[in-house]
Amino acid sequence: DSGVTQTPKHLITATGQRVTLRCSPRSGDLSVYWYQQSLDQGLQFLIHYYNGEERAKGNILERFSAQQFPDLHSELNLSSLELGDSALYFCASSPRGREEGRTEAFFGQGTRLTVV
Amino acid sequence: GQNIDQPTEMTATEGAIVQINCTYQTSGFNGLFWYQQHAGEAPTFLSYNVLDGLEEKGRFSSFLSRSKGYSYLLLKELQMKDSASYLCAVRDLMDSSYKLIFGSGTRLLVRP
């Protein structure tokens, strides 16, 4: 158990709908990273939040948005869903400050999104 | 930008040794990571290199050459449970973020 919690584990929804994925980082970690993994693909970096502020953006679609709340949990919002958005969505957290540069990121178990 | 290359698939025999290579190009290199990922599961951390040389951890070793933009993961005494994808990732500090950029992964099949 990495200590990173993601809910829900599975989500099935129709095209055009909107969903929210939730991530709670490890206790004490300030950073949350979101990744998308399509079938048989690598992990694509979406977005990074640090202590409530957006720090970096990857190849995140305009239909997707994220935020990090004062209690440090994060939500990834996916709207106007398309079939191609079906994927595993992982979040990861890492320690604060200088420790972040010396340690690995810890991944949650992921949310499997299926768009039908 | 960043570019990370690793072989798509490899096959090896139980008890043998396998080396998975990774080459990368990045502007703000701040370390190279290897993760293991079983199908449908979360990636789990295997190793981290930030300086040139070999890091050994039990049956797993990882090597880094920063001047060549090259790393490898060495798995010894292969076991059936080592069948998984192995992800090479570079920490890139281009925009003050410690994000990891991943290669597409190498699917390793261990045969009896």
Side-chain angles (χ1 to χ4, degrees):
Chain A
D1 182 5
S2 67
V4 179
T5 304
Q6 288 187 249
T7 56
K9 286 198 71 174
H10 301 276
L11 199 47
I12 301 176
T13 190
T15 54
Q17 295 298 305
R18 172 191 167 95
V19 296
T20 298
L21 313 184
R22 182 187 169 107
C23 171
S24 293
R26 296 187 321 152
S27 177
D29 286 357
L30 299 183
S31 273
V32 170
Y33 303 84
W34 285 98
Y35 289 87
Q36 179 193 55
Q37 188 175 39
S38 302
L39 189 63
D40 293 333
Q41 299 290 313
L43 289 156
Q44 298 295 318
F45 169 69
L46 294 178
I47 198 163
H48 170 207
Y49 273 84
Y50 181 86
N51 200 21
E53 293 191 0
E54 182 185 303
R55 184 63 69 90
K57 253 185 180 176
N59 296 324
I60 187 168
L61 299 170
E62 285 194 15
R63 300 184 286 109
F64 295 2
S65 64
Q67 54 185 328
Q68 187 179 27
F69 295 85
D71 68 352
L72 300 177
H73 91 271
S74 178
E75 293 181 357
L76 180 67
N77 301 296
L78 315 176
S79 61
S80 303
L81 284 167
E82 301 174 1
L83 296 178
D85 298 327
S86 296
L88 267 170
Y89 291 84
F90 288 102
C91 78
S93 76
S94 56
R96 64 181 66 201
R98 287 185 181 176
E99 273 307 301
E100 188 171 20
R102 292 197 283 258
T103 62
E104 69 270 29
F106 297 85
F107 283 80
Q109 290 301 307
T111 294
R112 181 176 292 282
L113 173 67
T114 303
V115 183
V116 297
Chain B
Q2 306 102 355
N3 192 38
I4 300 170
D5 288 315
Q6 50 182 131
T8 304
E9 284 188 0
M10 297 183 73
T11 303
T13 305
E14 190 176 16
I17 299 173
V18 71
Q19 177 175 312
I20 302 174
N21 295 325
C22 172
T23 58
Y24 65 89
Q25 291 177 316
T26 184
S27 305
F29 180 82
N30 191 252
L32 189 137
F33 294 76
W34 286 95
Y35 280 79
Q36 181 191 61
Q37 186 182 27
H38 287 96
E41 298 183 8
T44 54
F45 170 75
L46 290 177
S47 70
Y48 167 54
N49 296 71
V50 67
L51 300 176
D52 290 353
L54 189 68
E55 293 283 339
E56 296 185 84
K57 229 186 198 185
R59 295 190 299 116
F60 295 81
S61 303
S62 58
F63 171 82
L64 175 67
S65 168
R66 288 172 298 170
S67 62
K68 295 182 179 176
Y70 168 70
S71 174
Y72 67 72
L73 179 70
L74 197 69
L75 293 77
K76 303 174 190 173
E77 300 168 19
L78 280 171
Q79 302 174 9
M80 299 299 291
K81 67 178 182 179
D82 296 330
S83 290
S85 287
Y86 291 85
L87 312 179
C88 173
V90 170
R91 176 167 277 155
D92 190 310
L93 269 183
M94 272 297 290
D95 44 11
S96 302
S97 164
Y98 285 109
K99 64 186 179 297
L100 295 179
I101 304 301
F102 285 84
S104 297
T106 298
R107 191 178 307 125
L108 175 66
L109 175 62
V110 179
R111 291 189 168 148

